[in-house]
Amino acid sequence: ASSSAPAAGSASSAGGSTAGTATTVSWWMDPQNMASNQVKSFSEHKGWQLYEKNVGNNEGLDIDTDLGEEESSGQSAEQFNLIVATSDLPDIMYYSWATSYPGGPDAAIADGKIVALNDYIEEYAPNFSAYLDAHPDVRQEITTDSGNIYCFPGVYTYTSQDSDVWQDTIDREPYEESFIGLVVRKDLLDKAGLDIPVTLDDWYEALVAFKDMGIKYPLSCQAMMLTMAQCFSSAYDITVPVVGYDIGNTAFALKDDGSIFYGPAQDSYKEHLAFMNKLYSEGLLDPDFMVQDRTNVQSKVINGEVGAWVEMMPTGLGNLRRQVLADDPNSEFYPVGVLNPVLEEGQQLVYKQGNAAYIGSGAAITTSCEDIATACRVLDYGWSEEGNRILNWGIEGESYEFVDGWPKLTDSIVNNDQGIAPSEAFGVYRNLNGPYPMDHSQRLESKRDYTLQEGEVDENLKSLDLWSSSANGTVRAGLPSTTMLTEESAEYANAYNELSTYAAEMFSKFVMGNESLDNFAKYQDNLKALGLDTVLQLQTTALERYNSRVQ
């Protein structure tokens, strides 16, 4: 199958298996959850092969992977919708049920598509059950408003910073991972005699200095990444929606009192727009920021045309620097990740970019499954210590080894014979995402710059630390995993779609000067006319239901 095509695996139980009667458990999952372009299917993935083998040995199962016919790239959503519309479903389906099935998981259960797992996980998934007991916030995330546990979730986890050694699966805390933020060329700042910009005024001064140096695009970015990182909005204590990609409902956020606000409707949003318009109108912001993609931005960066930009790992600052030095070994190009700016020094930023610990995707067991016990046990292995290490780290001695109590990539991965990046070589062994606790330590290892000499600063990891730190914000932009009831869904979707479309159009018009900010009050009135109060009321009601779920 192609790297984006849905895939199926199967687990067949032999007669007399402790899991139940003989059956085949088919598993549908997108190969994008693998972490390497070096493999095209789960059957080629060494970590997945070992996982299947061990489940078979441990449970008396005969595991066989059958990927089926190759599908065209990027068709996961289409394939999901086609499959769930039928009555013959794979036994396990890993996808974003909460957002991709109309009405959410409760509707999928009521429609006879998936089963509630409450009565199965304690008996047939002891590892998963123990993790939920130890981390009740995860239980809350995957429990519907009516009390149904509907999936084995993908959860970001990390080893406590207070720990002397790497922690086992059950001890790793759920983690809101930040992976995107502002980057500036420190070599240009040094030439201008400027420090790392801290305030919005500092940023304006630095960008003006870059322009005066002849830098064509003092600040270049893709609008999607600029807004995803909440780069210049967080200084005004608001969050903004992600342009062109409504991820995590970042237009909404929680106030200190627990109430919900819509960022693009706040009075301070006008100040944010005014700052962005100032950058745009003075030629400090790339005029193509609304239409260009990431490749365009990075090409400009590598060509030396950019002073600051928004970067997303895992590309890595080290990788960009190597590309520049390959063309010009004498280049002083040196990018560093920085915190989002503040209005005034000493201000504590509140809202920052971050993935929710529960990534929104999970493995549900469908009503077509004839042996739910077996399916639970196959999934539960990913929550065991052995199975979880395989999914995160691959094969001990091949892809990783323990050094001073911490798993580290082996030399055969870091200095591999293929001449590919360690992250690519490692991707043959590890999964990127899946229905298990994902280890942040492993994700950091895959982003480390292994070309550095001893004593050199790893700007990749330093950037991730900054973007994830409390100095960059204390609250993740967006809302918890709230869901609309079936009877609310149509009303909410109609109002929110109009609202968000209008807000997106006006964002570009205000920033690019096609609409005067003198009309901001009229814009706010239009948001109300389009149903802002209805949207906020429905979200508030959904939040109340979420807060009353099992703790």
Side-chain angles (χ1 to χ4, degrees), residues 391-419:
L391 292 175
N392 277 291
W393 292 94
I395 302 174
E396 186 171 2
E398 287 189 32
S399 55
Y400 78 99
E401 58 190 352
F402 280 94
V403 179
D404 298 328
W406 291 80
K408 299 291 182 183
L409 299 189
T410 59
D411 184 68
S412 62
I413 295 294
V414 175
N415 300 303
N416 59 83
D417 295 336
Q418 302 99 306

Side-chain angles (χ1 to χ4, degrees), residues 223-230 240-251 504:
M224 182 190 78
M225 293 173 64
L226 176 79
T227 50
M228 185 184 296
Q230 307 293 315
V240 294
V242 179
V243 171
Y245 188 44
D246 189 17
I247 182 173
N249 280 336
T250 59

Side-chain angles (χ1 to χ4, degrees), residues 461-472:
L461 299 189
K462 185 178 178 183
S463 298
L464 289 169
D465 284 342
L466 279 175
W467 299 335
S468 299
S469 70
S470 59
N472 209 40

Side-chain angles (χ1 to χ4, degrees), residues 46-83:
K46 294 183 179 180
W48 191 256
Q49 289 173 0
L50 181 60
Y51 185 90
E52 290 183 339
K53 177 183 176 182
N54 284 4
V55 170
N57 290 341
N58 293 345
E59 300 294 345
L61 304 175
D62 177 20
I63 307 300
D64 178 37
T65 300
D66 178 12
L67 294 176
E69 296 298 321
E70 182 170 331
E71 304 287 351
S72 58
S73 177
Q75 298 300 309
S76 300
E78 180 181 341
Q79 289 297 310
F80 174 83
N81 291 332
L82 288 173
I83 292 171

